[in-house]
Amino acid sequence: MSEQEQINEVLATDYQAGFVTDIESDTFPPGLSEETVRKISRMKDEPEFLLEWRLKAYHHWLTLETPEWAHVNYPEIDYQAISYYSAPKKKTDGPKSLDEVDPELLRTYEKLGVPLDERARLAGVAVDAVFDSVSVANTFQDKLAEDGIIFMPFSKAVHAHPELIKKYLGSVVSYKDNFYAALNSALFSDGSFVYIPKGTRCPMELSTYFRINAANTGQFERTLIIADDDAYVSYLEGCTAPMRDENQLHAAVVELVAHDRAEIKYSTVQNWYPGDENGVGGIFNFVTKRAACRGVSSKVSWTQVETGSAITWKYPSIILQGDNSTGEFYSVAVTNNMQQADTGTKMIHLGKNTSSTIISKGIAAGRSQNSYRGLVRVGPNAENARNYTECDSLLMGDQCGAHTFPYIEVKNPTAQIEHEASTSKISEDQLFYCKQRGLDADDAVSMIVNGFCKEVMRQLPMEFAVEAQNLLSLSLEGSVG
Amino acid sequence: MKMLEIKNLHASVGDKEILRGINLTINAGEVHAIMGPNGAGKSTLSNVLAGRDGYTITQGEVLYKGENLLELAAEERAQRGVFLAFQYPVEIPGVSNIYLLKAALNAVRKYQGLDELDAIDFLSLVRSKLDLVKMDEQFLHRGVNEGFSGGEKKRNEILQMALLEPSLAILDETDSGLDIDALKTVSEGVNGLRSADRSIVMITHYQRLLDYIEPDFVHVLSDGKIVKTGDKELAKELEKTGYSWVQQGQAE
Ligand SMILES: Nc1ncnc2c1ncn2[C@@H]1O[C@H](COP(=O)(O)OP(=O)(O)OP(=O)(O)O)[C@@H](O)[C@H]1O
Ligand SMILES: [Mg+2]
């Protein structure tokens, strides 16, 4: 077998999270109108201000066109053919404890490696599990509440803390921001809400696990995280979906706010179903993630490991408003078969002495397309802003593509901007070298790729680094020989 | 015991025949030197023995410990004790040297039916091998060959050999690029690995190496064939006269 054939073989591996949970659910019929928006709001018994906001977003969305600047290709989405809400049927008003959660759902998360029971407690990670359009379980809420930390499904927070929602929702990503953000603002169903009070260090990792189960549904989740003065939180999200021949839409919005000296670490392991080797099926992942470093000396870092989705359109960004604030973006994006990823970040320097770091590692295999798109903007008042950008691409085989689109706009002459980029291939020399030392092709590829991504992987919380490494190996398995 | 038997081996790349009928038998415990002009096919022979893709074997056979070597995958040959010290060791950025060493040792141990070494035993084993080639421990934590000098890369190859304890080691120009002190150290390392159940093939352009590591046989490879075999005196003769006479002899 030639090296190329072996590469192809390593890449040809099954998606492990592709099963479907057989559960009864309440699902809206397909279709999108003002009534759909009202119905979602009604289902959740939302206060008037939120419905009004949703409706404004909806009417704004109607005026927008699908963005076409990304380096991705896909058939036009028929927004009338999608169902906008699906939730497992429940007897009561929502589970109060794990005992009330449908065991079928618990088993689903167990199978996905996200146990919600006692063992999860040992791991010291609080989990919010979102299944299609609703949160189905939320662990450690009470324990966290002792420290004044709020970690709950968005739909609950709307009732429990309407003043916070009112104050922060849309304050980082306005519903006018872009096509998908407007769509999300009108239709979002659930997600997580986190508030860390002044001077509090969140004692455990918080995580939300998103699962799309229902066919033909869109998932529009909304996450809002606020770290008040001197607070710290590390948050992780994970995502999977069953294997289906139809594409499914996922359009999330995540907003982060860091006040004075606060720090938010946000990590993503994105493993939505990527479609099969011919590009049939898979998730369309159109996500708007943005953080505001509002306070002085605040810090936000985004770390993402993106292995899934048929199409990824995602630019976790940071607005560095506070003086001396810091933004970091660490990304590994793997595309295989027919996957397309257009991902990167925006660092907007507004305050003085702000600094940002961008490390992006793109790995393309099969016939996939992998693009980095990044903007570094330095405003006129941002004295002494600094940015360091490094984006590296690794190609496996000769049928895939890697692209970089860096944009730099500097309006203050004191700025220091550094940009480095490289493109390399896993060489036959490297593979043969590893094999000559006794490693088989899969182990060799996984070792070389993990070496390539090391700077990013070590940013992940320990608990998830191992999972992410395995995922990398799995998604590239069969890609060489 | 016969370690390696190469019988009438012909190998091509595309239409180009590079090995044109090699015959060579190596017994356990022997050290053989292969010399010969640039482009003669020395590295090709080592690559074919190690199982690199891209060569077509058109004739002949190779037995390793009595088994058909050519039908094994490269990693299987390595696991069974065939080791190639590369003429140009490869850089693997971001993968720490110690990680590769551990993965390689475990692959061999797995084939031998042994358990993986735990971290502490592994580290003390590696440290003892570092001493052998006089390498600093910091090299364990750098990327594999990443930014290593030419000489450091060659030493690193011998470090790997010392750790993996192969039955058949092929050293492709391990001496080139070494300064005089390093040549001595590396030679001492290799001599320390000489044993009755290990065979060593050294490819070199310089007689000097053979002063340090005394071979049992010296072969001259030219134009894809072994054209002359002798003892270490042959190397001295070559040093004086060059290859023109063997090549002429071949034309007759
Ligand atoms: N992949 C290849 N494609 C085409 N020609 C090749 C290939 N590999 C080797 N050759 C040719 O085969 C011949 C032998 O090469 P090889 O590297 O084995 O020589 P060598 O004896 O090791 O030389 P040196 O002493 O310079 O290291 C050379 O002419 C080389 O150009
Ligand atoms: Mg050579």
Side-chain angles (χ1 to χ4, degrees):
Chain A
M1 219 184 332
S2 75
E3 303 283 5
Q4 183 59 45
E5 284 165 345
Q6 288 171 320
I7 292 190
N8 294 340
E9 186 176 290
V10 176
L11 284 174
T13 312
D14 292 344
Y15 178 72
Q16 311 266 315
F19 62 91
V20 179
T21 305
D22 188 9
I23 195 159
E24 252 191 288
S25 41
D26 289 319
T27 304
F28 284 12
L32 176 55
S33 65
E34 188 175 313
E35 182 49 25
T36 320
V37 178
R38 289 180 182 279
K39 228 163 114 189
I40 291 173
S41 188
R42 211 154 47 229
M43 289 285 292
K44 297 180 177 287
D45 196 16
E46 284 177 350
E48 193 58 27
F49 82 90
L50 199 50
L51 174 64
E52 275 168 29
W53 193 73
R54 285 178 182 275
L55 289 173
K56 275 195 273 183
Y58 175 69
H59 289 291
H60 181 70
W61 178 76
L62 290 174
T63 69
L64 300 176
E65 305 273 333
T66 315
E68 283 177 352
W69 43 264
H71 191 79
V72 292
N73 272 306
Y74 56 93
E76 209 177 317
I77 297 172
D78 177 0
Y79 290 94
Q80 297 307 331
I82 298 174
S83 161
Y84 290 88
Y85 186 89
S86 178
K89 271 213 169 90
K90 50 191 175 185
K91 286 120 216 149
T92 57
D93 229 15
K96 301 204 170 42
S97 76
L98 282 178
D99 310 335
E100 293 175 34
V101 177
D102 188 321
E104 194 57 40
L105 288 174
L106 291 180
R107 267 196 295 280
T108 298
Y109 285 91
E110 176 91 44
K111 252 165 109 175
L112 294 169
V114 190
L116 300 170
D117 58 8
E118 281 307 314
R119 274 180 298 141
R121 289 160 200 257
L122 289 179
V125 179
V127 180
D128 182 10
V130 177
F131 192 85
D132 291 331
S133 306
V134 292
S135 168
V136 293
N138 187 202
T139 64
F140 285 111
Q141 235 185 76
D142 300 344
K143 169 130 192 1
L144 290 164
E146 288 167 17
D147 293 328
I149 294 168
I150 306 169
F151 175 45
M152 58 172 64
F154 202 98
S155 54
K156 268 196 189 171
V158 166
H159 297 286
H161 304 282
E163 70 300 340
L164 288 173
I165 302 284
K166 218 170 178 167
K167 181 169 175 195
Y168 289 103
L169 179 68
S171 75
V172 188
V173 179
S174 138
Y175 66 79
K176 292 185 175 164
D177 192 83
N178 68 69
F179 184 85
Y180 300 109
L183 189 65
N184 174 286
S185 302
L187 298 163
F188 74 86
S189 41
D190 219 335
S192 297
F193 176 78
V194 176
Y195 174 80
I196 315 288
K198 283 191 173 133
T200 306
R201 206 185 152 81
C202 185
M204 61 180 86
E205 304 279 344
L206 303 185
S207 80
T208 302
Y209 197 92
F210 295 100
R211 172 75 175 167
I212 297 179
N213 187 62
N216 212 13
T217 0
Q219 195 183 48
F220 303 90
E221 89 259 357
R222 186 108 198 169
T223 296
L224 176 55
I225 300 177
I226 300 136
D228 217 324
D229 297 351
D230 301 289
Y232 168 86
V233 64
S234 168
Y235 177 92
L236 182 120
E237 69 171 355
C239 336
T240 59
M243 294 160 72
R244 296 189 190 279
D245 289 346
E246 307 81 37
N247 295 112
Q248 274 178 285
L249 179 62
H250 172 258
V253 171
V254 176
E255 298 178 274
L256 312 183
V257 179
H259 288 290
D260 289 352
R261 296 166 303 277
E263 180 177 352
I264 302 175
K265 229 176 122 59
Y266 190 107
S267 314
T268 305
V269 175
Q270 187 265 108
N271 183 27
W272 294 122
Y273 177 54
D276 70 7
E277 65 277 14
N278 299 311
V280 176
I283 301 291
F284 290 166
N285 190 32
F286 301 136
V287 171
T288 305
K289 289 185 166 174
R290 193 171 307 147
C293 279
R294 278 202 190 139
V296 295
S297 303
S298 55
K299 179 176 177 184
V300 168
S301 65
W302 296 105
T303 303
Q304 59 172 23
V305 176
E306 304 279 317
T307 61
S309 297
I311 296 177
T312 298
W313 180 100
K314 178 180 173 191
Y315 316 90
S317 305
I318 304 177
I319 302 166
L320 298 156
Q321 270 168 288
D323 290 348
N324 305 312
S325 59
T326 308
E328 296 172 341
F329 173 75
Y330 299 98
S331 169
V332 169
V334 182
T335 51
N336 192 2
N337 296 321
M338 299 294 283
Q339 280 177 277
Q340 307 174 61
D342 192 301
T343 183
T345 185
K346 291 186 219 167
M347 294 290 180
I348 314 292
H349 293 256
L350 300 176
K352 296 183 176 57
N353 304 314
T354 47
S355 69
S356 61
T357 304
I358 299 171
I359 309 280
S360 161
K361 306 278 179 177
I363 299 151
R367 286 174 288 159
S368 69
Q369 295 294 328
N370 198 317
S371 305
Y372 166 80
R373 188 181 303 275
L375 167 69
V376 177
R377 179 183 292 154
V378 177
N381 301 323
E383 295 289 318
N384 298 317
R386 288 157 177 270
N387 165 266
Y388 173 75
T389 298
E390 181 186 324
C391 59
D392 301 317
S393 311
L394 185 67
L395 295 168
M396 299 173 67
D398 48 17
Q399 293 168 284
C400 50
H403 318 273
T404 42
F405 304 99
Y407 307 90
I408 298 172
E409 299 171 12
V410 178
K411 300 227 170 70
N412 185 308
T414 60
Q416 287 181 44
I417 311 279
E418 270 180 88
H419 182 96
E420 289 178 23
S422 75
T423 300
S424 51
K425 277 193 156 196
I426 287 198
S427 66
E428 302 215 343
D429 285 344
Q430 286 175 328
L431 277 176
F432 176 57
Y433 192 72
C434 295
K435 287 195 235 172
Q436 215 303 303
R437 297 302 181 249
L439 277 68
D440 67 27
D442 280 349
D443 290 345
V445 168
S446 133
M447 187 176 83
I448 294 166
V449 167
N450 274 303
F452 175 76
C453 303
K454 190 146 116 189
E455 282 164 278
V456 174
M457 300 301 263
R458 69 166 159 235
Q459 299 297 329
L460 287 175
M462 268 299 274
E463 293 87 339
F464 304 109
V466 177
E467 184 196 332
Q469 273 186 16
N470 291 341
L471 199 55
L472 270 193
S473 310
L474 271 178
S475 50
L476 290 170
E477 210 160 272
S479 64
V480 286
Chain B
M1 186 192 84
K2 283 184 180 146
M3 184 67 75
L4 188 72
E5 288 173 90
I6 306 175
K7 297 177 192 167
N8 189 32
L9 181 66
H10 289 251
S12 319
V13 173
D15 295 337
K16 186 176 171 192
E17 183 165 65
I18 301 172
L19 303 183
R20 307 195 309 138
I22 304 239
N23 289 290
L24 179 63
T25 297
I26 298 176
N27 293 310
E30 290 176 354
V31 175
H32 290 236
I34 298 181
M35 305 183 77
N38 293 131
K42 302 181 298 294
S43 294
T44 303
L45 176 62
S46 9
N47 285 335
V48 167
L49 292 176
R52 188 175 189 131
D53 286 330
Y55 303 94
T56 318
I57 313 297
T58 50
Q59 276 186 65
E61 64 171 343
V62 178
L63 301 180
Y64 166 69
K65 296 181 179 172
E67 267 188 293
N68 181 352
L69 183 69
L70 299 179
E71 70 181 17
L72 297 175
E75 64 270 24
E76 293 172 319
R77 300 182 199 195
Q79 289 157 13
R80 284 163 171 75
V82 176
F83 179 89
L84 172 61
F86 284 63
Q87 181 171 3
Y88 305 107
V90 179
E91 299 195 9
I92 312 179
V95 175
S96 67
N97 215 11
I98 191 163
Y99 188 91
L100 175 66
L101 288 169
K102 195 163 182 212
L105 183 66
N106 284 334
V108 171
R109 289 179 66 91
K110 191 170 166 201
Y111 171 75
Q112 293 170 343
L114 299 171
D115 286 340
E116 293 192 358
L117 281 186
D118 69 39
I120 295 171
D121 290 346
F122 175 72
L123 197 61
S124 64
L125 181 65
V126 172
R127 284 200 175 121
S128 70
K129 305 299 180 185
L130 281 170
D131 287 345
L132 207 68
V133 287
K134 300 210 173 87
M135 263 172 90
D136 192 278
E137 199 167 321
Q138 57 128 331
F139 284 97
L140 293 180
H141 305 290
R142 285 173 57 179
V144 176
N145 293 318
E146 203 180 350
F148 286 23
S149 75
E152 288 163 353
K153 286 183 181 166
K154 297 303 179 75
R155 259 185 224 230
N156 199 35
E157 295 292 288
I158 301 306
L159 172 68
Q160 296 178 8
M161 171 181 167
L163 184 73
L164 298 175
E165 304 186 320
S167 304
L168 173 66
I170 304 162
L171 314 182
D172 192 355
E173 296 198 26
T174 298
D175 56 332
S176 24
L178 291 181
D179 66 36
I180 298 162
D181 292 339
L183 179 65
K184 246 176 140 168
T185 313
V186 164
S187 304
E188 279 163 19
V190 173
N191 279 329
L193 292 167
R194 279 181 91 150
S195 85
D197 50 12
R198 177 168 302 131
S199 308
I200 298 173
V201 178
M202 294 186 298
I203 294 168
T204 181
H205 287 294
Y206 305 106
Q207 195 270 330
R208 194 184 51 190
L209 174 71
L210 310 184
D211 286 341
Y212 292 109
I213 310 171
E214 280 199 26
D216 300 299
F217 298 94
V218 175
H219 310 278
V220 178
L221 185 72
S222 175
D223 202 15
K225 282 186 203 162
I226 290 181
V227 294
K228 188 130 183 109
T229 292
D231 60 11
K232 62 181 195 267
E233 294 308 315
L234 175 59
K236 288 191 178 137
E237 238 170 281
L238 289 169
E239 184 96 338
K240 271 188 257 154
T241 56
Y243 293 113
S244 53
W245 64 275
V246 282
Q247 283 168 321
Q248 277 161 18
Q250 208 189 333
E252 277 166 20

